[in-house]
């Protein structure tokens, strides 16, 4: 069979990362991409997932489906975050093994690392300290996903891989005023302030924490790149019980610097203030990306360009009066 005709299931294809993976696969010429909406397939329901895999028999699986959100969402719905993510990954990974899926790629998050991990955070920092309390349930679920992949590899000889992205943004992002991540939340806030001629925009926290941001289409390219690596190459650059690979830019900036950058891209002329009664989250989250660089991948989209692209999409898809 032609390699470009293999059956690829992208779980979470309507999400920001999943839709970017689909775009990347289609651009590379893959012709048999399998997708199901949430109404068609409840990934937390084991019976539904089992029936789907038995019928479709995918050869590769991208686990891009997840319940995600910012600090407010993670603090408000901790049970939903740990339950939904554990169920989705357990069902997808287990049924991939049961039906003989050739390769699986699990997408995690940089929040798997300890709150005070040495910067930049290398893959071997996993499980070396306490997690950031504001998103601990989500992080625990993502750590479990990595360990599920490794356990099925060890016991059954599967080829299940994991990538850990830094903060992602771009087309398909969530711009909800309360439950979104920091960058899309800023885009919306500065846009609304510009539209209403507000004198100031208030940002949560002190502005001092540092964060790293990766354009989602760069992340999609990284996912396909890692999935397509020969098994022996992936194995040579990872460890049996530390098999995940960080994906980021290797550069970060403070929340205050990010706010200034977003305000410039949006064209907001007012002042920026900080609500220090709100939580900062982890002080810094910069990934060590030397492993994936050694494997031949690097990001393409500069942060200012990516924010400009995201803002253009926001204005066209979700205009706010």
């Amino acid at each position: 069979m032609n390699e470009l005709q293999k059956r690829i299931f992208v779980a979470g294809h309507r999400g920001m990362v999943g839709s970017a993976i689909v775009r990347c696969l289609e651009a590379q010429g893959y012709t048999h991409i399998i997708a199901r909406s949430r109404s068609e397939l409840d990934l937390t329901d084991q019976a539904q997932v089992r029936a789907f895999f038995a019928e479709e028999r995918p050869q590769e699986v991208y686990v891009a489906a997840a319940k995600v959100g910012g600090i407010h969402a993670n603090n408000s719905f901790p049970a939903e975050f740990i339950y939904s993510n554990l169920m989705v990954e357990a069902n997808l990974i287990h049924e991939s093994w049961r039906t003989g899926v050739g390769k699986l790629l699990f997408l995690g998050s940089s929040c798997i690392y300890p709150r005070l991990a040495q910067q930049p955070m290398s893959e071997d920092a996993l499980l070396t300290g306490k997690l950031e309390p504001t998103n601990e349930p989500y992080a625990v679920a993502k750590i479990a996903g990595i360990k599920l992949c490794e356990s099925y590899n060890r016991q059954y000889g599967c080829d299940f891989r994991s990538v850990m992205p830094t903060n992602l943004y771009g087309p398909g992002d969530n711009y909800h005023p309360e439950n979104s991540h920091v960058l899309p939340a800023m885009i919306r806030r500065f846009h609304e302030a510009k539209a209403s001629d507000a004198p100031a925009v208030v940002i949560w926290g002190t502005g001092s924490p540092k964060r790293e941001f990766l354009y989602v289409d760069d992340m999609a390219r990284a996912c396909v790149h890692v999935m397509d690596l020969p098994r022996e190459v992936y194995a040579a650059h990872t460890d049996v019980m530390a098999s995940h690979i960080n994906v980021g830019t290797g550069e970060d900036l403070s929340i205050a610097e990010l706010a200034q950058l977003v305000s410039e891209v949006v064209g907001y002329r007012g002042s920026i203030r900080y609500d220090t009664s709100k939580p900062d989250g982890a002080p810094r989250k910069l990934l060590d990306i030397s492993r994936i660089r050694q494997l031949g991948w690097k990001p393409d989209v500069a942060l200012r360009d990516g924010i400009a692209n995201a803002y253009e999409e926001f204005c066209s898809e979700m205009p706010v009066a």
Side-chain angles (χ1 to χ4, degrees):
M1 183 188 71
N2 185 323
E3 177 74 5
L4 295 176
Q5 294 177 327
K6 61 187 174 186
R7 301 170 62 81
I8 303 173
F9 175 42
V10 180
H13 76 287
R14 287 185 172 175
M16 178 173 64
V17 184
S19 60
I21 291 172
V22 171
R23 287 196 298 274
C24 184
L25 290 169
E26 289 177 341
Q28 293 192 17
Y30 290 97
T31 59
H32 204 139
I33 301 169
I34 305 164
R36 293 290 187 277
S37 67
R38 191 173 301 174
S39 61
E40 294 172 317
L41 176 62
D42 179 359
L43 296 175
T44 67
D45 186 312
Q46 186 179 35
Q48 287 190 36
V49 175
R50 178 165 295 183
F52 165 80
F53 271 79
E55 178 182 353
E56 291 292 341
R57 296 280 171 173
Q59 295 163 284
E60 290 186 358
V61 173
Y62 288 85
V63 183
K67 182 175 181 62
V68 299
I71 290 177
H72 176 79
N74 275 275
N75 267 335
S76 302
F77 312 109
E80 292 180 30
F81 273 85
I82 193 167
Y83 174 81
S84 295
N85 286 296
L86 283 172
M87 293 301 291
V88 167
E89 65 201 27
N91 288 337
L92 290 172
I93 291 168
H94 186 70
E95 295 308 320
S96 291
W97 161 69
R98 274 175 47 88
T99 55
V101 167
K103 286 183 182 178
L104 175 143
L105 188 74
F106 171 72
L107 278 76
S109 166
S110 61
C111 71
I112 63 168
Y113 295 115
R115 182 177 188 273
L116 299 177
Q118 182 177 342
Q119 303 290 321
M121 299 179 289
S122 65
E123 286 87 354
D124 59 12
L126 184 63
L127 299 176
T128 60
K130 290 186 176 181
L131 298 166
E132 162 59 36
T134 55
N135 58 17
E136 182 189 72
Y138 176 76
V140 167
K142 289 299 183 180
I143 293 169
I146 298 170
K147 295 305 174 183
L148 276 166
C149 289
E150 291 173 356
S151 298
Y152 279 72
N153 291 345
R154 291 166 60 204
Q155 184 169 345
Y156 301 120
C158 298
D159 187 1
F160 296 169
R161 309 174 181 190
S162 300
V163 287
M164 299 300 115
T166 188
N167 298 288
L168 302 174
Y169 71 99
D173 212 339
N174 169 26
Y175 295 94
H176 189 279
E178 292 181 342
N179 295 337
S180 58
H181 287 104
V182 59
L183 203 161
M186 280 189 187
I187 289 175
R188 179 171 186 144
R189 201 168 299 170
F190 280 107
H191 176 81
E192 291 177 339
K194 177 186 175 184
S196 65
D197 202 24
V201 168
V202 178
I203 304 296
W204 273 30
T206 64
S208 62
K210 303 190 79 171
R211 294 290 182 269
E212 175 186 17
F213 297 92
L214 179 68
Y215 195 63
V216 70
D217 288 279
D218 276 343
M219 180 63 199
R221 286 193 308 103
C223 289
V224 176
H225 181 81
V226 170
M227 181 74 100
D228 288 346
L229 290 171
R231 186 169 188 169
E232 60 274 15
V233 173
Y234 185 85
H237 286 81
T238 58
D239 184 78
V240 173
M241 296 184 69
S243 64
H244 57 291
I245 296 176
N246 290 339
V247 185
T249 63
E251 301 176 354
D252 60 3
L253 76 169
S254 71
I255 295 298
E257 291 170 326
L258 177 68
Q260 183 61 40
L261 182 56
V262 173
S263 71
E264 291 171 7
V265 170
V266 171
Y268 174 69
R269 305 300 181 192
S271 62
I272 302 171
R273 299 175 186 166
Y274 295 90
D275 182 354
T276 57
S277 70
K278 300 297 186 183
D280 269 338
R284 194 180 188 197
K285 289 172 63 178
L286 177 65
L287 292 180
D288 179 342
I289 60 166
S290 55
R291 181 175 288 182
I292 195 164
R293 280 187 174 276
Q294 291 167 5
L295 287 165
W297 175 91
K298 62 180 178 60
D300 285 339
V301 181
L303 183 57
R304 182 182 287 271
D305 294 339
I307 292 174
N309 292 344
Y311 182 53
E312 182 179 354
E313 188 231 11
F314 171 82
C315 290
S316 64
E317 307 252 338
M318 301 179 64
V320 180

